[in-house]
Structures are given as C-alpha cells and as structure tokens.
Amino acid sequence: MPMIDSPQNAQVKLYRSLLSGKGRRQSGLCPLEGVRLIETALDSGADLRTVYVCPDLVRGPRVPELIDRLRDRGAEILELSQRAFISMADTEQPQGLAATAAIRYERLENLSSTSPACYLWLYELREPGNLGTMLRTAAAFSVAAVVFAGDCTDPYSPKAIRASAGAVFAVPLVRASWDRAMQWATAESVQTVASTPSANLSCHEAGYAQRVALIVGSEAHGLPEHLLTATDLQVKIPMSSKVESLNAGVAAGILLYTIVSADNRSGPDRPDTGCDGEK
C-alpha cells in the first residue's frame, strides 16, 4: 500500500474523529499514540485494529519488533507521511506511532466470583486525569473490575488513556446504574465501602470482607448522602488538620492499598504491596 500523504485521507480522518466522544461512540474505537502506550495495550490483550506508522518520526530499536507483533495479531499497518501523521496527532511531540483499539466493557453478571476480590466503583467522576490515575492504581493492586456507576467521564478518551499508561486495557471495565450495581453487590455478597471525612472509623481500623467494592465519588462533591448511607461501611483517611481533602486519585490509591493489604483479606491473588515500585 502506498504511503498516505493527505490529511484528508479517510483513515487519517477516522483517527482524528476518535479524539471526540462522538467519534468513539459511533465507531466503537479509541485512539492510542506512542510506543510504550501501544506496547502496554498489546501486552494487556487489547484488540488493536489499525496501526499508523510515520517512518520520518518513529525512533527506537523496539519499534520494528512491535510492528511485527502488531501485524502478527492481525492489525492493519499503514505508513503515513510526516504531514499526514502530525495532522492527526494529539501530542506535542509525536513519536510516529499511533493505533486504534476496540472499546470494550464487561457485564456485571459476567464478573468472576472468586475470593478475595476488590472492586473499584466510580460515581460521577469528571476529570479524565484522575480517572486514568485510578485505572493505573487499580491495575497495580489487581482490582477485579472497575465499575462506572453514574455519569463518569470516558475512560477511553485520549487524556484518560495516557494517564492510565495503558491500564485501561488491563482491568475489566463495567458500566452500570447505581441501583443495578448495588443489587449485584447484595446478590454476590460484596461489601460496599465508601470514604467520607465524617466517618467515625479510620480506613486502617476497619474490617474488610473477602469481597469488597470501594466506592469513590466525584472530585467536587464525593458521594451524595443518600448513596453514602446505603453502603455497608464508611471509613475516613486519617490526616493532618492542616489539609482539608485529598485529590480523588490519591485517596483512591491509599484506600485500595489499605484494603488489599489488610491482614484479614490474605489469599492467593493478593498483590505484592511491598515498596518496590518503578524506578
């Protein structure tokens, strides 16, 4: 296939359309840009459809092998000129490699019933950077699924995908109404846990069930009172009186670590929660 040079090429226009929510909803695809992000998506089992390569921009010894792996997976490989690639790129310094991947959501009833398990529920979370951070944290702590209850920002938006470092493909995602999620939790004996500064119990002192759903509300308002009182357990993160609140992504990370490392929840799938993070 000849190199694509026109920014008006149909494939280039398709990729650009995925930068908007409307384009993603209509196509069922999301955009990925950058070598490491595409590597992570591939390693996580993402269904990669089309790969865009700009020979004038792409760098690094890993790229040829990555392209071979993508081709072996059945992805379509397209070569673009620099002007065509830059016309669709969403980053300030394009690396010359982009791809489209299928958007996927699981169904609540199809989630595994294994124990122990920790689920992360997000309620009306609006900030894609926070959402991506939470997805990355969820993957790090082997969260069984992330459930979007209520009107949350799109986890497949470019900003959320970048903030997740590709973890959006590593954790099962579920969309459900609040009522449906609560019905499922009751039927599956999943303890629902919410964090609120008004709670009497510290997150470090609480007792957690073998199957727990941690619920995080919106950045500005948290969980509404009527939803908060419907949960099985409310906890707070102890902190200095000099600080009014924590960023939602930071709070979620502290709470997930506390839950999965609790002594009463040890099991074969418990993640390593040592301090050997990235260096």
Side-chain angles (χ1 to χ4, degrees), residues 239-246:
M239 55 186 179
S240 168
S241 59
K242 298 177 182 178
V243 178
E244 181 180 349
S245 63
L246 292 173

Side-chain angles (χ1 to χ4, degrees), residues 227-279:
L227 300 185
L228 188 64
T229 55
T231 61
D232 298 319
L233 178 67
Q234 296 92 46
V235 298
K236 64 182 177 183
I237 300 173
M239 55 186 179
S240 168
S241 59
K242 298 177 182 178
V243 178
E244 181 180 349
S245 63
L246 292 173
N247 169 277
V250 172
I254 293 171
L255 292 164
L256 285 174
Y257 176 87
T258 301
I259 291 170
V260 302
S261 61
D263 289 340
N264 65 338
R265 297 194 67 253
S266 61
D269 295 323
R270 180 181 177 185
D272 177 7
T273 51
C275 299
D276 301 324
E278 290 185 10
K279 296 183 178 152

Side-chain angles (χ1 to χ4, degrees), residues 202-242:
S202 161
C203 62
H204 304 300
E205 301 168 342
Y208 301 105
Q210 289 292 295
R211 303 183 72 201
V212 179
L214 171 65
I215 306 169
V216 177
S218 70
E219 297 91 338
H221 308 295
L223 279 179
E225 186 65 25
H226 70 285
L227 300 185
L228 188 64
T229 55
T231 61
D232 298 319
L233 178 67
Q234 296 92 46
V235 298
K236 64 182 177 183
I237 300 173
M239 55 186 179
S240 168
S241 59
K242 298 177 182 178

Side-chain angles (χ1 to χ4, degrees), residues 54-70:
C54 177
D56 291 339
L57 293 174
V58 76
R59 297 287 186 274
R62 307 196 315 265
V63 175
E65 180 184 353
L66 176 58
I67 292 173
D68 286 342
R69 290 178 61 202
L70 290 162

Side-chain angles (χ1 to χ4, degrees), residues 190-211:
V190 174
Q191 179 191 38
T192 52
V193 178
S195 174
T196 173
S198 62
N200 296 318
L201 190 63
S202 161
C203 62
H204 304 300
E205 301 168 342
Y208 301 105
Q210 289 292 295
R211 303 183 72 201

Side-chain angles (χ1 to χ4, degrees), residues 54-247:
C54 177
D56 291 339
L57 293 174
V58 76
R59 297 287 186 274
R62 307 196 315 265
V63 175
E65 180 184 353
L66 176 58
I67 292 173
D68 286 342
R69 290 178 61 202
L70 290 162
R71 185 180 288 110
D72 289 344
R73 285 278 195 92
E76 179 183 18
I77 311 297
L78 302 176
E79 283 199 0
L80 275 64
S81 68
Q82 187 167 331
R83 78 164 185 150
F85 193 93
I86 289 176
S87 76
M88 69 178 207
D90 190 47
T91 56
E92 292 184 3
Q93 295 182 319
Q95 297 179 20
L97 193 67
T100 61
I103 289 171
R104 67 186 185 196
Y105 288 97
E106 306 294 334
R107 297 174 65 87
L108 269 176
E109 53 267 30
N110 291 341
L111 295 181
S112 171
S113 297
T114 57
S115 183
C118 182
Y119 306 89
L120 176 62
W121 293 10
L122 304 178
Y123 180 80
E124 297 195 353
L125 205 71
R126 304 294 189 188
E127 215 291 309
N130 274 341
L131 174 57
T133 298
M134 291 186 199
L135 292 174
R136 189 175 187 181
T137 304
F141 293 137
S142 300
V143 163
V146 176
V147 178
F148 298 94
D151 184 20
C152 289
T153 191
D154 183 3
Y156 289 103
S157 71
K159 186 174 181 179
I161 292 175
R162 284 196 296 270
S164 81
V168 65
F169 300 105
V171 182
L173 306 184
V174 176
R175 290 183 296 189
S177 68
W178 173 267
D179 290 343
R180 177 71 188 93
M182 290 296 284
Q183 290 169 1
W184 175 83
T186 300
E188 295 290 329
S189 300
V190 174
Q191 179 191 38
T192 52
V193 178
S195 174
T196 173
S198 62
N200 296 318
L201 190 63
S202 161
C203 62
H204 304 300
E205 301 168 342
Y208 301 105
Q210 289 292 295
R211 303 183 72 201
V212 179
L214 171 65
I215 306 169
V216 177
S218 70
E219 297 91 338
H221 308 295
L223 279 179
E225 186 65 25
H226 70 285
L227 300 185
L228 188 64
T229 55
T231 61
D232 298 319
L233 178 67
Q234 296 92 46
V235 298
K236 64 182 177 183
I237 300 173
M239 55 186 179
S240 168
S241 59
K242 298 177 182 178
V243 178
E244 181 180 349
S245 63
L246 292 173
N247 169 277

